[in-house]
Amino acid sequence: MHEFMKEMKQAVPHDSARKHVSGQSVYIDDMTINEQLLVGRVVYSQRAHARIKKVDFSKALELEGVHAILSYRDIPGENQMGPVVHDEPCLVEEVVECIGQAILLIAAESDQLAIDAERLIEIEYEDLEAVIDLRTAIEKGNVLGPPRQMKRGDADVELPKSVHRMQGELETGAQEQWYLETQTCLCIPGEGREITAYSSTQHPSETQAIISEVMGIPKNEIVVEVRRMGGAFGGKETQANWVAAWSALLCRATNRPVKIRLFRDDDQIMTGKRHPYLFRYDVGFDEQGMITALKIEQNADGGCATDLSFAILERAMLHAENCYYIPHIEVIGKVYKTNLPSNTAFRGFGGPQGVAAIESIIDQIARRLKLDPAIVRKRNFYGIDDRNVTHYGQEVELNRIHTIYEQLMESSEYEKRKEEIAEFNRQNEFYKKGIAMTPVKFGISFTTTFLNQAGALVNIYTDGTILVNHGGTEMGQGLNTKMAQVAARELGVTLGRIKVNATNTSKVPNTSATAASSGTDLNGMAVKHAIDQIKARLQRLAAELLSKDQERASREADICLEEDRVFDRQHPERAMSFPELCLQANLNQVSLSAAGFYRTPDIGWDKIKGWGKPFNYFAYGMCVSEVLVDTLTGYYKNLRTDILHDAGDSINPGLDIGQVEGGYIQGVGWCTTEECKRGAKGELLNHSPDTYKIPSVQDIPIDFRTSLLQQAPNPNAVRKSKAIAEPPFMHGLATWLAIKDAISAVRDHAFEPEFKLPATNEVILLSIDELMRR
Amino acid sequence: MQDVISFVLNGQRRQIRFGHEHQPTDTVLNYLRNQPGTKGVKEGCAEGDCGACTLMLAELNGDQLQYKAVDSCLIFLPMLQGKHLVTVEYLGKQKQGETELHPVQEALVEANGSQCGYCTPGIVMSMATLYKKGKQVEKEEVEDALTGNLCRCTGYKPIIDACMKSCQHISEDVVDEQADQVISLLKDIKVEARSIEIRTEKQQYFQPKTLEEALDLKVRFPDAYILNGATDIALLVTKRHLLLETCIDLSGIDLLRTIEISGDYLEFGASVSLERMKGVCQESFPAMHDLLAVFGSRQIREMATIGGNIGSSSPISDSLPLLFVSEAEVQLTSSKGSRWVNMNDYITGYRQTVRQPDELITRVRIPKNSDGVVMKFYKVSKRKDLDISTASAAFSLQLEGDQVSNIKMAYGGMAAQCLRVPEAEQYLIGKTWERKEVEAAMQMIAAKFTPLSDARSGAEFRTSVAQKLLLKFWSEHA
């Protein structure tokens, strides 16, 4: 294939890959700044809930090399950081509400000096009653806001009429994002009030807004730039704002560049996690396992402030049914306040929690009825022509779950292996195997409708090179690579001509977070919109230039841009190179720059009624996972995992497969080894990778097969592609339920095992112990 | 005596003088990140768990260079003395202004093995070190080489693929091309090298070349930190930000790195790295080999030493239970002489031992298994690899027919120190090696311990799993 076609078609490597592997990629902490650079350090609360009686940092200030120590009194603007609700002070005034909440900021000439200074600071607390777990918060009714409800039919009436009825609870745990690059920001003072912030943020516009509010200076004095993040996963959607605001404060107070890079332990202690949930449900079903009615209460641990908790709750509620049509359903959602760092976005944004609950319910129904859970799932799937409206009123269009089911059940040899597993389990007392299949249907769009917009600024230079600016941020997902591919395709040029710029609020303003898996969909369309404008101008000019002195003029519509050339389709000999046309544009006073904009059409959603069309479309996928559990230690091994995922007409299958595999393994981490344990005073016990265990290379399936669904164009997004990012995270649930299947085999599936998420080896072993006592 | 250190960085000789800009307990990671041109190395955790700071360290072994991957966040600068440090920037060849990537780098690009890129330089260094083995590798070797490198983006598969692929055809790389020059530089440094004595305003750091000097220092500075690999002690600096006032670094003493294997025992110098020990034990002490295979990561084992591990005397030290049941002996040496102490008598309480302030751990001697003795070590941790034990157990069993003629069991993580369970041992000796008796002994194990609940697990789990490990041992050796 011609190189040009190959690039258009796709699996080009990540645009930073060569820099990554040779150590040339520049992250904020790698930037070379002059000797004026100071480091910032945050002094945070050691108590979960307390009144601050005394703060004395006079001795610390005397230390040579310490340039500033700031408290809330030194905030020139508003002492407020809450991205949605104003309930998060930038620096605590009187009462700390969690361990890790910032009280003071230090600027010093080195990390060690800042630490030495911190040791000289005296803070006295008067403890107040702290609520550090969700169950207590529920008992006390400590809500962060009014409950939400989504409802169809009448579950209360239908539940008692059901053939079978089951009630239960499920706990899902917190999860630390564990981006490799901890929260970092470097602020550089400019003239007057100007500040340039190099921030590792998924949401440069909000970071700019928060700096503006805290500093009390207008947004046009602040530039936020993001070249790349060393991972984010939602953890830098709102919570990157903290170090940005703090370094801005120190920068202004010292009038010197200030960098804050949190130490790993501080990052884990201070920042929010994936929301833990406690689900309580009441489900009715028939002999076939068809769910007739479901009433489910979703209780989220929001931590000490609102942050994005209600948007996350909303997504959990919108995914309470996953792929299943449930005629009578009532979903009640509540967010509780605890004295823990405010929980926040993490890949899936509530979706994984919502899906975990319904998948657990189906699993229990199948065990109760002694049916294959895969069959029960299939029976409950949304239909193609009927049973195809969700509990919030959106029609499930282009439902691919049936196709995926047929293909994956066959390619994974599910049925054959299920029999082999049953045989293995008959033969072995101390090792048990388990298998499970879980599907996912994930709604694509921000559920806060106005956020579904994006901007771009495309500049073409007279040498024919192109600089693409867009509002999305690069965190490893390959957004910039896809944007370059979109731009190259639209302009008919080779990728080598295109550079995607660092995201910068002065180039593209007022953007939404790169979140909700929407980066490519939104920014891709905005880039295309910008290019469409320039392209039209170029076609008009080319038509004129190419048919100069010709009898019949070229028509604009016949001007093609392909393979770095510009030509008239009707008269292919009328041609010029792309750079030549760009130079001519400048000479002919034609603009080579355009701003693009996009808003997702035809979506709308009434949050209060819980009804409407919140999503542009749905992404689908399915996973079959098989595990081996050592019943004497609780260890499990991931033997084989097959994933089939719907990425539409993938713009870049190499990157998309990477998202699927990486998302799945992150999901497996949430479901197995990643446990946030807290002590009696609310302190996080595992605040470093020594005790907080994300999956290692040894934890991936021995046999790991990932495919993208073929011939599945998506009419609703750029180049018929589909969002990726979040949906594959939920494939981890197949591994979770495979573990449960293996546990259940200890008593030949006669009883429902006690189970929760994550299923650590502790949970596994104690669940087996409990089964053996029955 | 010398107060400077010399080493080779990316093919160039370097010297560091301490006091103003550099302190002796500065880590190699921080040193490099403060230099222009070596910012490829990253800090992900500063505790040797994530591997983002992985570098390649080459040491002279006769006329050859030996390569190992190490976590630069846990290495103090003086430990570089006489070694060649290779960073990611060195691997590409500069040709006409373009960087020609190393085969492992190229393979990683092609396989989409890098997403956010922050872990990537460390992964490249682990891969490049494996590449230096100079032969095709098995998947298990690749996994072992990468266990100490966490990646949050990819799910590892493309990284494994890239590693397998690049090691299929090994060719001369940039490291080989300059090896002769580096060897000659290192030899020069070696000839010049003296014992190191660094004194700064707040610290003194010794790196003696002989045991006698070290023992003399131990008398003068009985409270000094003994650095023997420093993978644990370095955390005092990187995590607790403490100032280590006096350090005695044993890495310059060749005598402590010797290994003797006789008909009756294996004997290791205290500074033998766990990775080297693992290799030696593969044939002669498989239980120890298996233990070391899940001990930390490759990077940790390359630096950590058996003497250091015993010296930390932690209740969750992985090596202790097996050293207990194998009746290993530890040699304690002071300037007055040496004595051998059975490991079972060595530990006396929570991080308490019989070692006197003027003594150093100098050797460890492990009796070879008599015929018919089965030994096994089990470790339970939240994540199977690169994790610290929640609980661990070692068993040694001798059967006569189906009768237990001898059994020993020792548990880690169950109490303030590693402990044998004499009640269960005595019960089983003379009994038939059958499930009924094993289950009776399990009750005694449960009765013996009152474990803690902590960050790793709850007490109930520890009690349950401790018993089951005996059942597991039985099930595998019935």
Side-chain angles (χ1 to χ4, degrees):
Chain A
M1 204 191 305
H2 189 275
E3 193 59 27
F4 173 78
M5 286 306 291
K6 230 195 287 180
E7 286 179 2
M8 297 308 97
K9 225 29 231 172
Q10 7 224 329
V12 297
H14 193 287
D15 73 338
S16 291
R18 299 183 76 81
K19 285 182 247 171
H20 287 341
V21 299
S22 55
Q24 304 302 313
S25 293
V26 177
Y27 301 82
I28 294 162
D29 197 38
D30 304 335
M31 292 172 71
T32 306
I33 306 299
N34 60 31
E35 290 166 1
Q36 300 279 305
L37 177 69
L38 299 175
V39 297
R41 182 164 175 81
V42 187
V43 181
Y44 55 76
S45 166
Q46 304 293 334
R47 305 296 176 89
H49 193 198
R51 186 173 304 283
I52 297 180
K53 286 175 65 187
K54 180 184 157 193
V55 176
D56 181 357
F57 51 83
S58 51
K59 278 186 219 143
L61 258 183
E62 287 167 18
L63 211 60
E64 198 185 324
V66 172
H67 288 251
I69 298 181
L70 308 181
S71 74
Y72 73 93
R73 294 176 209 275
D74 303 297
I75 294 174
E78 206 183 337
N79 184 15
Q80 190 44 247
M81 299 277 300
V84 181
V85 178
H86 275 191
D87 60 355
E88 297 180 76
C90 180
L91 295 173
V92 171
E93 300 190 4
E94 284 169 6
V95 175
V96 291
E97 293 205 290
C98 69
I99 292 175
Q101 204 170 17
I103 301 170
L104 298 172
L105 305 172
I106 304 171
E109 286 170 18
S110 71
D111 281 328
Q112 190 58 53
L113 266 173
I115 290 163
D116 292 344
E118 183 180 2
R119 286 180 178 147
L120 296 173
I121 293 173
E122 286 174 58
I123 299 178
E124 279 177 27
Y125 304 92
E126 179 190 323
D127 280 327
L128 301 170
E129 189 192 0
V131 175
I132 54 158
D133 73 287
L134 179 56
R135 282 183 192 270
T136 309
I138 293 171
E139 272 168 33
K140 289 178 171 286
N142 271 11
V143 288
L144 264 172
R148 299 278 303 270
Q149 191 194 41
M150 293 178 199
K151 187 176 175 179
R152 171 176 57 200
D154 197 334
D156 282 329
V157 171
E158 292 303 316
L159 278 168
K161 294 195 230 156
S162 300
V163 183
H164 296 279
R165 187 171 174 183
M166 196 168 68
Q167 280 130 0
E169 277 189 358
L170 174 72
E171 275 177 45
T172 64
Q175 184 183 24
E176 161 62 42
Q177 289 82 2
W178 226 86
Y179 26 70
L180 260 287
E181 177 205 36
T182 54
Q183 303 277 2
T184 308
C185 183
L186 164 67
C187 281
I188 298 180
E191 59 179 38
R193 298 184 293 182
E194 288 173 4
I195 288 180
T196 302
Y198 296 91
S199 168
S200 184
T201 174
Q202 288 173 252
H203 199 346
S205 288
E206 190 173 78
T207 301
Q208 177 195 29
I210 297 282
I211 293 176
S212 159
E213 285 164 29
V214 170
M215 301 300 298
I217 54 178
K219 289 183 183 176
N220 63 1
E221 300 275 10
I222 300 157
V223 175
V224 175
E225 180 166 309
V226 185
R227 163 46 76 192
R228 60 171 62 79
M229 283 167 272
F233 315 111
K236 296 174 181 173
E237 185 172 347
T238 60
Q239 302 212 347
N241 296 335
W242 294 99
V243 294
W246 296 328
S247 47
L249 285 167
L250 290 171
C251 168
R252 189 38 76 212
T254 59
N255 210 26
R256 287 170 67 151
V258 175
K259 176 169 69 185
I260 300 182
R261 176 185 63 91
L262 295 184
F263 292 148
R264 174 62 62 187
D265 296 70
D266 291 337
D267 189 305
Q268 285 192 235
I269 289 168
M270 293 167 73
T271 65
K273 318 272 172 258
R274 179 185 297 286
H275 288 65
Y277 270 74
L278 173 65
F279 297 93
R280 290 183 170 137
Y281 51 84
D282 189 347
V283 62
F285 51 97
D286 68 14
E287 282 300 338
Q288 299 296 304
M290 295 286 279
I291 300 176
T292 48
L294 171 68
K295 191 166 177 181
I296 184 162
E297 194 182 274
Q298 303 185 336
N299 301 291
D301 180 347
C304 67
T306 308
D307 188 85
L308 299 171
S309 294
F310 283 92
I312 290 164
L313 176 74
E314 184 170 62
R315 185 165 284 272
M317 295 172 75
L318 289 166
H319 288 78
E321 60 11 318
N322 194 17
C323 292
Y324 312 111
Y325 177 77
I326 301 172
H328 298 273
I329 175 168
E330 185 178 343
V331 187
I332 299 140
K334 293 176 189 168
V335 181
Y336 288 89
K337 178 171 177 169
T338 55
N339 292 107
L340 300 176
S342 186
N343 287 316
T344 191
F346 191 159
R347 200 176 198 165
F349 205 73
Q353 292 96 316
V355 171
I358 186 67
E359 291 305 331
S360 172
I361 289 168
I362 296 230
D363 184 76
Q364 290 180 46
I365 291 173
R367 191 170 291 102
R368 167 86 72 93
L369 298 175
K370 304 216 177 303
L371 293 171
D372 180 345
I375 303 290
V376 176
R377 289 192 161 88
K378 183 179 184 331
R379 285 177 183 158
N380 282 286
F381 281 159
Y382 278 112
I384 306 290
D385 300 317
D386 60 347
R387 297 166 37 90
N388 63 353
V389 177
T390 63
H391 58 293
Y392 46 89
Q394 175 157 1
E395 191 180 323
V396 181
E397 293 171 316
L398 294 173
N399 181 349
R400 299 216 165 110
I401 208 68
H402 298 272
T403 311
I404 292 175
Y405 179 88
E406 298 304 329
Q407 289 185 18
L408 188 68
M409 292 297 272
E410 193 181 326
S411 67
S412 69
E413 306 170 286
Y414 175 89
E415 280 171 30
K416 175 169 154 258
R417 284 198 285 148
K418 202 162 168 72
E419 281 168 26
E420 289 167 0
I421 287 167
E423 183 55 30
F424 176 92
N425 289 341
R426 275 191 289 276
Q427 310 263 343
N428 288 277
E429 182 186 356
F430 298 124
Y431 285 96
K432 296 291 179 190
K433 286 185 179 179
I435 192 168
M437 173 282 268
T438 57
V440 62
K441 163 185 125 292
F442 198 79
I444 302 299
S445 287
F446 286 101
T447 57
T448 302
T449 305
F450 84 89
L451 294 174
N452 294 291
Q453 57 173 309
L457 173 67
V458 175
N459 296 337
I460 303 181
Y461 297 92
T462 52
D463 62 353
T465 61
I466 298 142
L467 187 65
V468 175
N469 296 275
H470 61 86
T473 53
E474 174 63 41
M475 58 196 98
Q477 81 278 47
L479 176 60
N480 285 352
T481 315
K482 286 184 174 179
M483 292 305 96
Q485 286 180 289
V486 167
R489 160 93 147 228
E490 297 303 321
L491 282 169
V493 299
T494 43
L495 271 177
R497 294 200 172 278
I498 296 178
K499 180 181 163 77
V500 180
N501 214 10
T503 310
N504 186 305
T505 53
S506 71
K507 303 292 194 302
V508 180
N510 311 322
T511 55
S512 295
T514 307
S517 310
S518 68
T520 302
D521 286 11
L522 298 176
N523 294 290
M525 291 300 258
V527 168
K528 183 176 181 304
H529 178 234
I531 288 176
D532 284 346
Q533 299 165 54
I534 305 175
K535 196 171 160 182
R537 295 176 210 151
L538 287 175
Q539 283 170 317
R540 199 177 313 136
L541 175 66
E544 201 182 301
L545 295 174
L546 291 173
S547 54
K548 212 175 189 177
D549 309 326
Q550 301 283 344
E551 211 169 285
R552 285 185 54 188
S554 289
R555 293 185 311 169
E556 275 172 52
D558 288 330
I559 300 297
C560 293
L561 282 75
E562 269 176 29
E563 303 190 27
D564 279 345
R565 287 170 65 251
V566 184
F567 61 93
D568 181 342
R569 182 189 341 238
Q570 304 298 335
H571 308 274
E573 73 287 357
R574 296 181 187 176
M576 68 200 299
S577 74
F578 181 78
E580 173 61 15
L581 178 60
C582 296
L583 182 62
Q584 286 299 327
N586 190 245
L587 297 175
N588 287 279
Q589 295 167 297
V590 172
S591 165
L592 283 171
S593 176
F597 185 78
Y598 175 73
R599 60 183 286 271
T600 308
D602 307 326
I603 50 174
W605 161 244
D606 186 331
K607 280 180 190 295
I608 306 302
K609 288 192 189 138
W611 200 257
K613 186 188 175 195
F615 301 120
N616 186 13
Y617 60 87
F618 294 103
Y620 301 91
M622 195 173 289
C623 178
V624 171
S625 190
E626 179 183 347
V627 303
L628 175 70
V629 168
D630 177 346
T631 64
L632 296 178
T633 60
Y635 274 132
Y636 87 98
K637 185 73 201 164
N638 198 328
L639 298 176
R640 175 175 164 184
T641 295
D642 295 58
I643 299 170
L644 181 57
H645 198 87
D646 166 25
D649 255 359
S650 173
I651 293 176
N652 189 324
L655 296 181
D656 284 351
I657 292 270
Q659 287 291 300
V660 176
E661 291 176 348
Y664 162 71
I665 293 298
Q666 234 173 42
V668 168
W670 175 56
C671 290
T672 59
T673 54
E674 293 186 44
E675 185 182 28
C676 294
K677 282 202 166 202
R678 292 194 181 270
K681 294 184 171 172
E683 73 279 19
L684 185 63
L685 296 176
N686 34 20
H687 43 76
S688 78
D690 167 24
T691 44
Y692 187 76
K693 294 303 183 187
I694 71 166
S696 83
V697 71
Q698 306 271 7
D699 299 312
I700 73 169
I702 295 172
D703 187 351
F704 193 2
R705 309 181 191 195
T706 307
S707 317
L708 300 179
L709 184 66
Q710 297 301 304
Q711 279 143 14
N714 172 29
N716 300 307
V718 64
R719 283 182 51 190
K720 306 212 181 311
S721 66
K722 229 173 216 197
I724 193 97
E726 291 173 294
F729 183 93
M730 276 143 277
H731 295 321
L733 291 168
T735 303
W736 180 61
L737 290 175
I739 291 170
K740 189 177 171 193
D741 187 44
I743 294 172
S744 165
V746 167
R747 295 298 302 273
D748 203 19
H749 308 291
F751 305 100
E752 176 64 29
E754 283 183 359
F755 205 51
K756 58 184 172 185
L757 189 157
T760 57
N761 51 356
E762 180 172 13
V763 168
I764 294 170
L765 198 75
L766 296 181
S767 173
I768 291 169
D769 282 352
E770 195 273 337
L771 276 183
M772 297 310 288
R773 285 195 293 267
R774 279 201 227 173
Chain B
M1 288 295 169
Q2 63 182 64
D3 60 357
V4 297
I5 62 155
S6 295
F7 63 102
V8 179
L9 173 62
N10 291 337
Q12 305 286 322
R13 184 167 168 164
R14 289 260 181 138
Q15 200 170 53
I16 295 179
R17 196 168 291 280
F18 295 90
H20 180 62
E21 196 181 341
H22 305 294
Q23 305 307 318
T25 50
D26 283 353
T27 64
V28 171
L29 170 65
N30 284 345
Y31 167 75
L32 292 173
R33 288 201 49 80
N34 286 315
Q35 304 275 314
T38 51
K39 288 177 187 275
V41 64
K42 299 286 180 275
E43 176 183 315
C45 68
E47 63 182 30
D49 272 297
C50 80
C53 67
T54 303
L55 296 176
M56 192 194 292
L57 205 54
E59 273 180 273
L60 209 51
N61 183 16
D63 284 336
Q64 299 284 312
L65 286 173
Q66 275 188 341
Y67 300 96
K68 53 191 184 187
V70 295
D71 289 320
S72 62
C73 68
L74 298 182
I75 301 178
F76 297 140
L77 281 175
M79 293 159 78
L80 291 178
Q81 167 67 28
K83 300 184 175 72
H84 182 205
L85 183 65
V86 178
T87 75
V88 70
E89 289 85 359
Y90 187 62
L91 293 182
K93 291 184 201 169
Q94 299 301 323
K95 281 193 177 164
Q96 285 125 32
E98 292 274 304
T99 307
E100 187 183 304
L101 297 179
H102 187 280
V104 301
Q105 293 173 316
E106 198 64 64
L108 208 51
V109 170
E110 274 174 33
N112 290 303
S114 162
Q115 288 184 27
C116 85
Y118 213 77
C119 71
T120 309
I123 283 177
V124 165
M125 296 316 292
S126 284
M127 287 172 69
T129 309
L130 187 65
Y131 188 86
K132 296 253 59 66
K133 282 190 77 173
K135 61 179 183 67
Q136 250 181 288
V137 292
E138 301 293 321
K139 193 176 171 209
E140 289 71 32
E141 284 175 88
V142 169
E143 287 169 349
D144 179 56
L146 293 172
T147 295
N149 292 91
L150 296 178
C151 167
R152 191 55 150 166
C153 296
T154 63
Y156 301 102
K157 186 163 182 271
I159 300 172
I160 297 173
D161 292 347
C163 210
M164 300 285 289
K165 199 177 163 204
S166 60
C167 289
Q168 256 169 18
H169 304 286
I170 307 275
S171 55
E172 194 181 67
D173 65 5
V174 65
V175 182
D176 297 321
E177 281 171 21
Q178 302 197 26
D180 288 344
Q181 192 197 330
V182 168
I183 289 169
S184 123
L185 288 172
L186 291 180
K187 282 185 173 171
D188 290 349
I189 294 173
K190 191 170 181 176
V191 170
E192 297 161 14
R194 305 282 174 269
S195 291
I196 293 170
E197 191 171 318
I198 300 162
R199 288 174 200 277
T200 64
E201 199 185 333
K202 291 178 180 161
Q203 285 179 293
Q204 43 193 355
Y205 188 107
F206 304 97
Q207 194 184 82
K209 287 191 69 72
T210 65
L211 181 59
E212 290 68 31
E213 287 173 78
L215 294 171
D216 179 49
L217 287 165
K218 192 78 176 91
V219 173
R220 284 164 59 203
F221 306 105
D223 297 331
Y225 290 97
I226 303 299
L227 308 183
N228 200 358
T231 53
D232 197 18
I233 286 181
L235 300 177
L236 298 177
V237 175
T238 65
K239 291 275 135 165
R240 292 173 60 194
H241 310 286
L242 298 181
L243 180 78
L244 309 186
E245 283 176 19
T246 308
C247 297
I248 304 171
D249 171 3
L250 305 182
S251 68
I253 305 172
D254 291 339
L255 180 70
L256 294 182
R257 274 195 296 273
T258 56
I259 298 175
E260 280 174 47
I261 301 177
S262 77
D264 300 329
Y265 56 79
L266 307 165
E267 195 182 298
F268 300 91
S271 299
V272 170
S273 77
L274 297 179
E275 182 63 20
R276 221 173 123 218
M277 187 170 168
K278 173 174 163 239
V280 170
C281 289
Q282 185 153 20
E283 293 282 310
S284 45
F285 194 8
M288 181 60 83
H289 171 271
D290 296 349
L291 179 162
L292 293 172
V294 289
F295 189 113
S297 63
R298 185 72 181 259
Q299 290 97 312
I300 296 290
R301 290 193 303 268
E302 293 283 16
M303 292 306 293
T305 59
I306 183 63
N309 192 245
I310 293 171
S312 77
S313 61
S314 156
I316 46 174
S317 156
D318 279 348
S319 69
L320 291 182
L322 191 57
L323 293 173
F324 270 48
V325 300
S326 60
E327 305 280 357
E329 291 179 298
V330 57
Q331 185 192 46
L332 302 174
T333 305
S334 72
S335 46
K336 287 171 261 167
S338 287
R339 58 179 176 138
W340 287 94
V341 180
N342 187 301
M343 277 307 298
N344 289 280
D345 304 322
Y346 176 70
I347 309 264
T348 55
Y350 180 71
R351 291 187 186 259
Q352 299 291 311
T353 73
V354 299
R355 189 176 58 76
Q356 295 300 308
D358 63 344
E359 287 179 317
L360 286 174
I361 297 169
T362 42
R363 303 194 81 70
V364 181
R365 184 189 280 170
I366 306 169
K368 279 194 175 168
N369 274 1
S370 332
D371 284 345
V373 175
V374 180
M375 274 195 213
K376 186 91 194 217
F377 172 76
Y378 298 99
K379 169 173 172 170
V380 177
S381 49
K382 191 173 280 174
R383 190 175 67 199
K384 194 155 192 209
D385 300 274
L386 184 47
D387 198 354
I388 292 168
S389 296
T390 303
S392 61
F395 301 100
S396 155
L397 171 72
Q398 197 165 13
L399 291 177
E400 270 179 35
D402 58 358
Q403 299 282 304
V404 177
S405 60
N406 202 359
I407 187 165
K408 293 169 191 169
M409 55 185 88
Y411 281 85
M414 296 297 293
Q417 65 185 95
C418 177
L419 281 181
R420 293 272 292 270
V421 192
E423 302 85 344
E425 292 176 3
Q426 290 309 316
Y427 176 81
L428 284 170
I429 292 171
K431 300 280 190 325
T432 305
W433 184 235
E434 62 184 350
R435 185 163 183 171
K436 177 173 65 106
E437 302 296 354
V438 165
E439 284 176 344
M442 285 163 65
Q443 300 295 325
M444 297 168 192
I445 294 166
K448 169 91 178 170
F449 296 110
T450 318
L452 284 176
S453 289
D454 65 8
R456 300 184 206 283
S457 93
E460 188 186 356
F461 173 67
R462 284 194 166 100
T463 301
S464 173
V465 82
Q467 301 174 64
K468 292 196 174 73
L469 290 180
L470 179 64
L471 184 60
K472 188 169 177 61
F473 179 64
W474 171 81
S475 76
E476 291 173 6
H477 300 96

